[in-house]
């Protein structure tokens, strides 16, 4: 118990060090596991690859769920075609080039070489999510990289299992067919479970707010179980289900997001420490240089080729492709996948595991901290003119048939300087309270909103979605949102811009009207 407490405290300190240094946290957690294991301080002997694989899969499900919940649909949607090609065709290119290097340069037989090529071709979701969200990159780049890391685990797992099977490896066209079928099944189940789960959570008020985070994670994990049961890709299912849930305006969303983030950190800590325990440090010395050679080919040849060839039809700038090539971070996923041939009893599987382990450590140590420098050298950074999205939390008021929306105005929101009356909220919604500089007051229609304000908005059930869409539209387009065409229009649930304001107005007037230009009732009701 004392050892576990010490490990947990050290791991929490490692989170702080990682966030300040930009160093991927996996290296720190692996270091903790190595220090506890053989040749380490506590000399704990652990060699159960099968248990490590099971726990690693469970942790990966939680990490993918957390990553999907934090993925913004409006950023990922334009990147989906590129990410899909990169996580399928790109994986195939990377496997071929890396396996050839492992066979001809290191001397591994073709089965071992193909296993290594498949294992290290998967970018790690935990590493990508933790590093990219600290680097100010344009959303079109982070969208591709995050979606790729969520998608490419599925085809890689299929390849590694096929190469690790006892007997001859199946023909390539059979593997391609299996990969396509499993991905299609996993995608269908993930989208279905995510939609059904979000529909249920939005229409059924749970007895306690603390149940919402648990319900969201349970739904995401159910997607993995359902996908695996019907021989689909459970990893793709859990990621897509979580992404649907994360973009569905669920009640108590900030609390849910924080809960998922904490579970993600806990999963990373447990998984990386266990992997560190599994390795025997003195066995890594003999495989150090083979790992460096394979990793060099992967980083300098295979990854750039896969990116440039796969993304050729999308006409992205070469600078962005170069950055995506460098940002193909590896992490715990390749190490977990390297346990599959060990469990299957493939000859030379221990050496494969050692090479993968060293490769991940060395090149993550190089790529992770240098990613901001590479982005700066390529003159790629986030567009400061992009407005920050509003933070809106919704709590259902079941007996009142309404919702209480908590709205935070971020620093770059164009809601700054807008009067409450100029929000033009639909009939049935009102700003009831403004919190500014730790002081709260009831606003008047002429109250000017400022950066950092927190608003409490009450909306009835019929206009709840329209109210949130209007708030987001003002946050993006300012007080003239809706008058200037699609640029400042409110967003629909699918993220697409509405038609110009006058067309919307004519259509809505035919339905009784929800967003009248002259409506100031939202402000007046708030005042009363």
């Amino acid at each position: 118990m004392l050892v576990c407490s010490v490990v947990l405290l050290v791991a929490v300190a490692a989170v702080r060090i990682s966030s300040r240094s930009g160093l991927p946290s996996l290296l720190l957690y692996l270091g903790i596991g190595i220090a506890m294991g053989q040749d380490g301080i506590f000399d704990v002997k652990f060699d159960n690859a099968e248990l490590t694989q099971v726990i690693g899969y469970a942790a990966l499900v939680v990490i993918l769920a957390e990553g999907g919940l934090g993925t913004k649909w409006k950023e990922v949607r334009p990147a989906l075609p590129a990410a899909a090609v990169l996580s399928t065709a790109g994986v195939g290119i990377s496997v071929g080039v890396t396996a050839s290097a492992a066979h001809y340069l290191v001397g591994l037989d073709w089965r071992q070489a193909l296993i290594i090529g498949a294992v290290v071709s998967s970018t790690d979701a935990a590493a990508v999510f933790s590093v990219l969200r600290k680097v100010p990159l344009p959303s079109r780049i982070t969208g591709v990289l995050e979606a790729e890391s969520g998608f490419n685990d599925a085809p890689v797992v299929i390849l590694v299992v096929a190469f690790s099977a006892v007997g001859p490896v199946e023909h390539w066209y059979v593997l391609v067919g299996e990969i396509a079928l499993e991905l299609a099944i996993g995608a269908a189940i993930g989208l279905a479970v995510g939609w059904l789960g979000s529909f249920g959570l939005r229409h059924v008020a749970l007895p306690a707010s603390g149940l919402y985070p648990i319900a969201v994670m349970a739904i995401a994990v159910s997607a993995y179980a359902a996908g695996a049961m019907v021989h689909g890709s459970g990893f793709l299912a859990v990621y897509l289900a979580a992404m649907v849930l994360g973009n569905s305006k669920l009640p108590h969303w900030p609390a849910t997001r924080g809960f998922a983030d904490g579970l993600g950190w806990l999963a990373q800590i447990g998984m990386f420490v266990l992997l560190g325990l599994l390795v025997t440090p003195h066995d890594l010395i003999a495989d150090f240089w083979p790992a460096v050679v394979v990793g060099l080919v992967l980083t300098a040849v295979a990854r750039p080729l896969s990116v440039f060839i796969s993304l050729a039809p999308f006409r992205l700038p070469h600078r962005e492709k170069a950055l995506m090539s460098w940002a193909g971070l590896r992490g715990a996923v390749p190490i977990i996948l390297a346990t599959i041939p060990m469990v299957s009893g493939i000859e030379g599987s221990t050496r494969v595991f050692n090479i993968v382990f060293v490769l991940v450590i060395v090149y993550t140590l190089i790529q992770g901290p240098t990613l901001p420098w590479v982005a700066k050298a390529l003159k790629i950074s986030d567009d400061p003119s992009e407005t920050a999205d509003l933070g809106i939390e919704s709590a259902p008021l079941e007996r009142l048939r309404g919702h209480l929306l908590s709205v935070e105005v971020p620093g770059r929101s164009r809601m700054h300087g807008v009067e409450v009356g100029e929000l033009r909220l639909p009939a049935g919604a009102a700003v009831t309270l403004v919190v500014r500089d730790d002081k709260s007051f009831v606003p008047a229609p002429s109250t000017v909103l400022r950066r950092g304000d927190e608003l409490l908005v009450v909306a009835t059930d019929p206009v709840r979605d329209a109210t949130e869409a209007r708030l987001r539209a003002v946050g993006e387009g300012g007080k003239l949102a809706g008058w200037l065409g699609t640029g400042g229009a409110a967003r629909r649930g699918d993220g697409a811009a509405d038609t110009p304001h006058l067309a919307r107005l004519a259509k809505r007037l035919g339905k009784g009207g929800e967003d009248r230009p002259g409506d100031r009732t939202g402000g007046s009701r708030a005042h009363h």
Side-chain angles (χ1 to χ4, degrees):
M1 182 65 71
L2 178 61
V3 173
C4 293
S5 301
V6 171
V7 171
L8 185 58
L9 290 174
V10 174
V12 172
V15 173
R16 184 66 174 172
I17 295 173
S18 173
S19 62
R20 283 177 170 250
S21 65
L23 190 69
S25 56
L26 72 94
L27 296 180
L28 302 175
Y29 305 145
L30 284 174
I32 295 173
I34 293 173
M36 293 176 57
Q38 299 182 54
D39 301 339
I41 300 173
F42 298 101
D43 196 26
V44 176
K45 292 180 173 56
F46 179 80
D47 58 359
N48 194 332
E50 186 173 2
L51 176 61
T52 303
Q53 179 182 325
V54 171
I55 295 178
Y57 273 29
L60 182 57
V61 169
V62 174
I63 292 170
L64 285 172
E66 188 272 330
L69 291 174
T71 300
K72 296 181 179 179
W73 172 244
K74 67 179 182 180
E75 294 181 2
V76 171
R77 186 182 62 173
L80 283 181
V85 175
L86 191 57
S87 58
T88 51
V91 164
I93 296 171
S94 180
V95 170
V97 175
T98 307
S100 298
H103 177 71
Y104 291 110
L105 300 181
V106 178
L108 298 178
D109 63 47
W110 274 113
R111 181 185 290 272
Q112 297 171 357
L114 287 171
I115 291 174
I116 287 183
V119 163
V120 299
S121 293
S122 172
T123 56
D124 183 71
V128 171
F129 294 148
S130 63
V131 173
L132 288 186
R133 291 176 184 175
K134 301 170 189 174
V135 181
L137 297 177
S139 59
R140 62 182 176 274
I141 296 179
T142 58
V144 172
L145 293 173
E146 289 191 7
E148 179 205 7
S149 67
F151 292 164
N152 63 12
D153 291 336
V156 166
V157 169
I158 298 171
L159 288 175
V160 175
V161 171
F163 296 150
S164 301
V166 177
V169 178
E170 294 185 83
H171 297 293
W172 66 270
Y173 51 84
V174 177
L175 288 179
V176 172
E178 288 183 357
I179 291 173
L181 180 60
E182 291 196 21
L183 291 180
I185 294 174
I189 289 178
L191 294 174
V193 172
W195 185 85
L196 290 173
S198 64
F199 181 84
L201 290 176
R202 285 168 57 85
H203 291 82
V204 176
L206 298 179
S209 60
L211 293 176
Y212 282 91
I214 299 175
V216 168
M217 293 302 296
I219 292 170
V221 174
S222 298
Y224 172 83
M229 285 179 62
V230 296
H231 303 288
S233 173
F235 292 121
L236 182 59
V238 67
Y239 182 74
L240 290 178
M243 188 166 64
V244 172
L245 291 167
N247 290 273
S248 298
K249 306 171 187 175
L250 299 179
H252 304 290
W253 178 244
T256 301
R257 189 72 188 90
F259 178 79
D261 191 43
L263 278 185
W265 278 110
L266 187 61
Q268 288 187 55
I269 292 171
M271 177 174 58
F272 295 145
V273 170
L274 196 62
L275 290 172
L277 281 172
L278 184 63
V279 73
T280 304
H282 67 260
D283 290 340
L284 300 177
I285 299 176
D287 296 313
F288 179 82
W289 288 113
V292 171
V293 171
V294 174
L296 183 61
V297 173
L298 171 67
T299 306
V301 182
R303 173 66 180 180
L305 276 178
S306 66
V307 171
F308 277 81
I309 294 177
S310 300
L311 302 184
F314 299 96
R315 299 180 180 178
L316 295 173
H318 291 314
R319 293 184 295 109
E320 295 186 2
K321 292 180 183 178
L323 182 62
M324 292 182 190
S325 300
W326 190 251
L329 303 177
R330 272 73 192 174
V333 173
I335 303 177
I336 292 172
L337 297 181
T339 63
I340 294 177
M342 296 177 68
V343 174
S344 301
I346 298 299
E347 183 181 355
S349 58
T350 301
R351 190 184 184 198
V352 169
F353 179 85
N354 291 339
I355 291 176
V356 171
F357 193 94
V358 174
L359 186 155
V360 167
I361 291 179
V362 171
Y363 287 93
T364 302
L365 185 61
I366 295 174
Q367 290 176 271
T370 59
L371 185 58
W373 301 344
V374 174
K376 184 176 181 181
L378 294 173
K379 298 181 180 180
I380 298 176
S381 61
D382 191 15
D383 184 2
S385 65
E386 292 185 4
T387 57
D389 192 19
L390 291 176
I392 301 180
E393 178 179 3
S394 173
L397 305 174
E398 185 177 23
R399 295 184 61 186
L400 301 180
R401 297 182 181 179
H403 291 263
L404 180 64
L405 306 180
S406 175
V407 183
E408 181 180 354
V409 182
R412 290 186 293 172
S413 173
R414 291 196 175 101
M415 191 178 287
H416 172 76
V418 176
E419 295 182 4
V420 169
E422 293 172 330
L423 292 175
R424 293 186 284 114
L425 298 179
V431 179
T432 59
L433 198 69
V434 174
V435 180
R436 179 180 298 166
D437 298 329
D438 296 328
K439 296 180 180 179
S440 59
F441 59 93
V442 177
S446 59
T447 298
V448 179
L449 301 177
R450 302 296 183 192
R451 298 183 181 91
D453 284 355
E454 294 184 23
L455 318 179
L456 290 183
V457 181
V458 175
T460 56
D461 275 340
V463 299
R464 189 267 186 201
D465 290 341
T467 301
E468 183 168 342
R470 179 61 194 166
L471 291 169
R472 294 189 184 278
V474 176
E476 294 178 3
K479 65 179 69 178
L480 296 181
W483 289 104
L484 300 179
T486 57
R491 300 285 177 176
R492 297 192 191 100
D494 60 358
D498 281 340
T499 53
H501 180 76
L502 294 179
R504 289 191 301 115
L505 180 59
K507 182 178 179 181
R508 288 183 175 178
L509 285 176
K511 297 180 180 179
E514 289 183 359
D515 193 12
R516 300 179 178 87
D519 187 9
R520 294 294 185 269
T521 56
S524 61
R525 286 193 304 275
H527 180 58
H528 293 300

